[in-house]
Amino acid sequence: MRYQEFDEKIEGLLAAMTLREKIGQLNQIPEPKTLEQAEAYKERIRRGEIGSIILASSATAGNEKQKNKGAAQEDGQQQKNAAQEDGQQQKNAAQEDGWQSNINTALRNELQRVAMEESPRHIPLIFGRDVIHGHHTVYPIPLAAAASFNGELVEKCYRNIAREAAAEGVHWAFAPMLDLSRDPRWGRIIEGPGEDPYVAQVMGQACIRGFQGEDLKEPDSLAACAKHYIGYGASEGGRDYHRTEIADYSLYNYYLPAFRAAVEAGAATVMSSFNDISGQPVTSGRKYLTDILRGQLGFEGFVVSDWAAVQMLIRFGVAGNRADCARLALHAGVDMDMVDGCYGENLEALVNCGQVPEEELDNAVRRILRIKFAKGLFDRPYCKMRRVDRAGHLADARTLAAESMVLLKNEGVLPLEKDVTVALLGPFVHEKRSLLGSWTLDYQIEDTKSLLEAMQEKLDREHILLSADETGLYDDSVQKAVKADVVLLALGESWEATGERRCLSDISLSAPQQAMIRRMKALGKKVVGIFFCGRPLAMEGVAEQLDAILYAWHSGTKTAEAVCDILFGDVVPSGKTAMTFPRRTGHIPLYYNVTSSGNFVNGYYGEELFPCYLDSVTSPAYPFGYGLSYTTFAYGPVTAEETCLSLGELEAGKRFRLAVTVENTGSFDGKEVVQLYIHDKIASRMRPLRELKAFQKPLIRRGEAAEIQFELGWADLGFYTEQGEYLVEPGSFDIYVGENCLTDNCISIEIL
């Protein structure tokens, strides 16, 4: 994204602004909770002391049970929208479509009117909100969406999300979260793309394109925010907010690629992370926010802190007071201070006494104004409610939910016939809220069906046997199971066990649910486990007891319908794991793109001559990229037009061209995620045994074959040094193309 077209206007504003007005642009505050607070905000806006409002009332609003109603809804009152022509109250077209907004657009417009008409420079406010994986229509949590391996569909769904949120006056979404993480104990694993840098790049760019559309100025677009920059997902022990140790080599090759791709996709903003990296808080880390993000990656938008993160520098032990916090964060490259007020309270004095150069302040203001101009806020500051295609959005939600679900096991049970009699048991038979996942503020629960309600659309009621006992441990549930052809167990974890500040020390399925599985299996019936989860669970002792496993995740508004579509064969499953499923919690971290070792201990790829643990097998329960279908696919050998190219040829743009034929040998049409991995066999640094570099997801008709073509070039075959220099070295590479990261379908190429 290029911002030079706004330079003249920005410089004109800067020249006219007072020091206090400049500082005001760097100040973001939470939405007002009362009418009195709203009036106080207006006075501050009139003085130019506020640049942004976050439409949330707490740091973890998306995890809270009560949906945020905001201010000025007390006693049913609404502020009049003075910006509307002829003083008419704005008509809420969305309400005519049957849903209610949690955002008080009338108050929002009134605050904007004060900024546009009564503040010194008439600079609009930018309104941000945690629009993470849906607005009124909720889509799969991002970890589940990554399992779809379908960037085009994800982009389409995030375009829908932008339209819904923008229709209610949101300018800016605090997403996508691009934190690479190898620890499913971490509650926020649900918000990210999993363990692989390439999947993170693809999904991150898809979300950004969806949010921002073809033109950020359009009223149905949102400014994206790539977060949390950087390393937050590496918190030790999966404990939220804890310290991280990341070597520069790992930083550049694992954690930075998704943010590099986000910058290339034109992400308007970046959010800095809470954590430190090897003793340096990111909030005060100029190396990370200025030298790398702006200097090396070329980011031109603005950086916002996470909630109250600037004042956290005191607890980190690098600042003695709030003034120190403001000085350190601004110098590091944090442009906007989210809610804690450190900038507003201290920067004026710091500039006046010479501790903060005014040029540093001016640069931050420039970056914020760039995005306000690019978003078109000066031309269209007010929210005009618009109808959206809710029916279309819900249909897309159902499609993405189905493509995100992973069939982990199937011993001839699925798909089910539509005259089958099922015993439907388990704690998620009637559940709705958990299907939506954590970090969703604006869901419409009435749009969400329970599994039972969705199944009643597929089967006659007499074919669904229910028990009042959801644990499956007592006689009533056993009697129902005995009468059924198949036992369907609705299992999983609550949405309250996932998300921010929702970490677990043990990711095993709960003991009562495990006992229920054993009880049902002992009856000699076919038992299908349907898992509604936010994270991968430890599968030892669980998977062995089930005849089929459908991992349905927390997949949003249309979770239940998508599950039933798959169970009854109306949709052929095509999801693949975007994160490794361990056998036991104690095996974490366990990830596929591991380097080798000096001894034979690599359990992931089956070496284990010297076992990692004496008490367990350390290979994954299900590896990265794994997922079954109702059909079968046969892979031909990998072929290449040329197997040798020189460094010079690669640098000049020549590429290795590879192909593989994939045949659908089963009885269903199906989509297959064809995955390409590389292994740099000998290099100056240890390289991963497998690295995903490309994938495609074609639909292949039964009895037909498709030739899948890939290209590998200069940008795919190198790595970054500890100094951030990109390096491609001569040598031999193994190229694997297959159904998951453990494929042995391989060809070797050579760089001369």
Side-chain angles (χ1 to χ4, degrees):
M1 187 177 294
R2 298 298 177 190
Y3 302 106
Q4 288 84 351
E5 62 182 291
F6 311 120
D7 286 352
E8 185 176 344
K9 293 178 181 178
I10 290 170
E11 294 308 315
L13 281 171
L14 267 175
M17 293 168 76
T18 66
L19 182 57
R20 288 298 299 167
E21 291 164 15
K22 292 177 183 178
I23 294 167
Q25 288 302 304
L26 279 56
N27 190 32
Q28 183 181 71
I29 60 173
E31 66 177 333
K33 297 181 181 179
T34 66
L35 288 171
E36 291 76 13
Q37 191 176 43
E39 290 301 319
Y41 277 18
K42 289 182 187 180
E43 287 303 311
R44 296 181 65 190
I45 294 169
R46 289 186 182 102
R47 296 193 296 267
E49 295 176 358
I50 296 173
S52 175
I53 294 178
I54 179 172
L55 298 172
S57 57
S58 77
T60 56
N63 283 13
E64 295 167 2
K65 288 187 177 182
Q66 296 298 319
K67 291 196 284 184
N68 175 33
K69 297 298 181 184
Q73 294 187 6
E74 300 173 346
D75 304 320
Q77 297 183 48
Q78 286 191 339
Q79 291 278 347
K80 185 177 181 181
N81 182 355
Q84 295 296 306
E85 295 180 3
D86 304 321
Q88 295 295 313
Q89 183 71 29
Q90 181 180 11
K91 187 175 182 180
N92 188 341
Q95 291 180 353
E96 294 181 357
D97 290 334
W99 47 267
Q100 299 291 319
S101 174
N102 294 320
I103 300 171
N104 189 329
T105 55
L107 174 61
R108 173 228 176 272
N109 276 344
E110 172 62 11
L111 295 174
Q112 188 72 290
R113 184 198 66 77
V114 174
M116 294 302 296
E117 296 183 10
E118 300 178 24
S119 70
R121 308 299 153 209
H122 313 299
I123 299 173
L125 302 169
I126 184 168
F127 290 88
R129 190 166 178 82
D130 285 294
V131 184
I132 306 301
H133 56 100
H135 191 59
H136 294 301
T137 308
V138 182
Y139 296 84
I141 58 170
L143 182 60
S148 74
F149 281 78
N150 190 335
E152 291 182 2
L153 180 57
V154 168
E155 179 179 343
K156 181 181 182 183
C157 291
Y158 275 74
R159 188 88 282 276
N160 297 344
I161 294 170
R163 291 186 176 109
E164 289 190 8
E168 295 184 342
V170 179
H171 300 140
W172 178 21
F174 298 119
M177 191 184 96
L178 302 178
D179 294 299
L180 181 143
S181 183
R182 299 159 173 169
D183 197 331
R185 294 172 297 183
W186 188 46
R188 300 196 79 168
I189 195 74
I190 67 165
E191 294 180 56
E195 69 192 47
D196 180 67
Y198 182 72
V199 169
Q201 292 174 64
V202 172
M203 294 302 162
Q205 289 193 331
C207 292
I208 291 164
R209 289 192 300 267
F211 276 142
Q212 298 189 172
E214 294 183 2
D215 188 344
L216 187 57
K217 285 185 178 180
E218 291 302 313
D220 64 352
S221 292
L222 299 179
C225 184
K227 69 179 191 184
H228 304 85
Y229 182 88
I230 190 172
Y232 184 29
S235 298
E236 285 186 351
R239 297 183 290 269
D240 213 353
Y241 312 129
H242 275 245
R243 69 188 306 277
T244 64
E245 286 283 347
I246 303 176
D248 283 347
Y249 177 65
S250 294
L251 184 82
Y252 279 105
N253 288 288
Y254 289 102
Y255 295 92
L256 268 173
F259 289 95
R260 188 185 299 274
V263 172
E264 292 172 355
T269 69
V270 165
M271 182 183 291
S272 59
S273 55
F274 286 121
N275 57 285
D276 73 289
I277 297 179
S278 306
Q280 173 64 65
V282 174
T283 305
S284 60
R286 187 173 177 85
K287 167 184 174 179
Y288 303 111
L289 295 172
T290 295
D291 298 344
I292 295 177
L293 179 62
R294 295 194 173 99
Q296 296 181 20
L297 272 59
F299 177 62
E300 295 183 344
F302 73 80
V303 173
V304 62
S305 76
D306 210 331
W307 188 285
V310 174
Q311 69 182 13
M312 291 180 188
L313 293 176
I314 296 173
R315 289 190 57 84
F316 274 114
V318 299
N321 52 51
R322 287 166 62 84
D324 286 345
C325 294
R327 174 178 55 82
L328 290 169
L330 186 67
H331 180 66
V334 176
D335 300 311
M336 184 176 286
D337 179 7
M338 184 184 286
V339 311
D340 62 28
C342 288
Y343 282 7
E345 293 171 16
N346 298 288
L347 282 180
E348 185 173 19
L350 289 169
V351 171
N352 286 334
C353 74
Q355 291 191 49
V356 169
E358 190 164 359
E359 184 60 23
E360 272 188 6
L361 175 64
D362 287 350
N363 285 336
V365 176
R366 285 186 181 97
R367 290 188 283 260
I368 291 168
L369 291 178
R370 281 176 192 165
I371 300 307
K372 289 187 175 184
F373 274 110
K375 183 67 191 77
L377 299 183
F378 286 86
D379 300 321
R380 284 193 296 262
Y382 302 111
C383 171
K384 296 184 179 180
M385 301 291 284
R386 297 179 304 280
R387 289 182 180 275
V388 297
D389 180 12
R390 282 276 284 151
H393 294 182
L394 289 166
D396 291 339
R398 188 168 181 164
T399 300
L400 182 58
E403 289 214 16
S404 300
M405 295 175 184
V406 185
L407 185 63
L408 294 177
K409 184 177 182 180
N410 187 23
E411 296 185 350
V413 184
L414 300 177
L416 300 173
E417 298 294 335
K418 291 182 180 175
D419 60 354
V420 70
T421 297
V422 302
L424 186 57
L425 308 172
F428 284 80
V429 170
H430 303 286
E431 176 64 15
K432 293 184 178 182
R433 174 61 187 88
S434 288
L435 307 187
L436 300 172
S438 186
W439 268 116
T440 174
L441 287 162
D442 299 292
Y443 62 88
Q444 303 290 306
I445 198 66
E446 57 270 22
D447 291 337
T448 305
K449 287 184 169 64
S450 68
L451 180 60
L452 172 60
E453 290 170 338
M455 192 155 294
Q456 288 171 340
E457 296 178 353
K458 300 287 186 181
L459 291 179
D460 294 334
R461 295 193 177 214
E462 61 267 24
H463 288 289
I464 304 173
L465 307 180
L466 299 171
S467 170
D469 165 35
E470 292 186 347
T471 67
L473 299 180
Y474 303 106
D475 289 341
D476 181 56
S477 58
V478 171
Q479 290 173 6
K480 295 295 192 300
V482 167
K483 296 177 182 178
D485 299 314
V486 177
V487 178
L488 302 181
L489 299 182
L491 310 167
E493 60 179 353
S494 166
W495 69 278
E496 294 184 85
T498 70
E500 189 167 357
R501 300 181 189 171
R502 302 289 192 272
C503 304
L504 298 177
S505 62
D506 185 354
I507 60 166
S508 302
L509 188 67
S510 68
Q513 292 185 84
Q514 292 195 47
M516 176 172 57
I517 293 172
R518 291 192 296 270
R519 184 73 181 271
M520 294 300 110
K521 184 63 176 176
L523 299 176
K525 295 289 183 177
K526 294 292 186 181
V527 183
V528 177
I530 307 161
F531 288 77
F532 300 98
C533 301
R535 55 168 61 82
L537 296 184
M539 300 301 288
E540 189 173 80
V542 173
E544 300 91 331
Q545 301 291 321
L546 295 167
D547 297 288
I549 300 172
L550 179 62
Y551 217 81
W553 307 100
H554 294 158
S555 288
T557 303
K558 290 296 181 180
T559 301
E561 292 97 319
V563 164
C564 292
D565 288 342
I566 290 175
L567 290 178
F568 293 97
D570 296 319
V571 171
V572 174
S574 62
K576 302 277 188 173
T577 55
M579 194 167 187
T580 298
F581 280 63
R583 298 177 188 273
R584 297 185 178 185
T585 302
H587 293 170
I588 298 167
L590 185 67
Y591 51 96
Y592 91 93
N593 45 8
V594 66
T595 56
S596 188
S597 175
N599 221 321
F600 295 94
V601 293
N602 190 345
Y604 203 108
Y605 291 98
E607 291 178 349
E608 278 206 298
L609 180 61
F610 304 105
C612 298
Y613 303 106
L614 297 178
D615 61 345
S616 62
V617 176
T618 54
S619 59
Y622 299 104
F624 177 87
Y626 177 87
L628 302 176
S629 175
Y630 290 155
T631 193
T632 53
F633 297 98
Y635 281 75
V638 186
T639 61
E641 290 183 6
E642 294 180 271
T643 57
C644 294
L645 291 174
S646 70
L647 276 173
E649 288 175 313
L650 283 171
E651 193 167 11
K654 199 163 185 181
R655 304 170 69 82
F656 289 99
R657 290 182 171 83
L658 304 107
V660 66
T661 298
V662 183
E663 183 181 1
N664 185 335
T665 56
S667 54
F668 292 83
D669 299 343
K671 292 182 178 181
E672 171 70 341
V673 181
V674 184
Q675 304 159 48
L676 183 148
Y677 300 84
I678 73 168
H679 175 214
D680 187 350
K681 296 172 70 174
I682 300 175
S684 59
R685 310 291 193 283
M686 293 174 64
R687 302 300 300 136
L689 292 173
R690 304 280 171 96
E691 286 183 275
L692 183 68
K693 288 295 182 180
F695 62 81
Q696 295 183 37
K697 191 175 185 179
L699 172 66
I700 306 176
R701 306 288 182 186
R702 58 183 178 178
E704 296 182 2
E707 183 180 74
I708 311 301
Q709 298 180 346
F710 296 101
E711 293 185 355
L712 291 173
W714 179 266
D716 307 303
L717 296 168
F719 58 90
Y720 289 90
T721 68
E722 297 86 342
Q723 292 75 38
E725 299 170 348
Y726 187 69
L727 186 64
V728 179
E729 297 179 331
S732 179
F733 292 73
D734 286 336
I735 310 299
Y736 298 88
V737 181
E739 67 284 358
N740 61 63
C741 71
L742 298 184
T743 181
D744 58 4
N745 193 25
C746 178
I747 191 173
S748 292
I749 62 172
E750 189 85 14
I751 299 177
L752 304 174

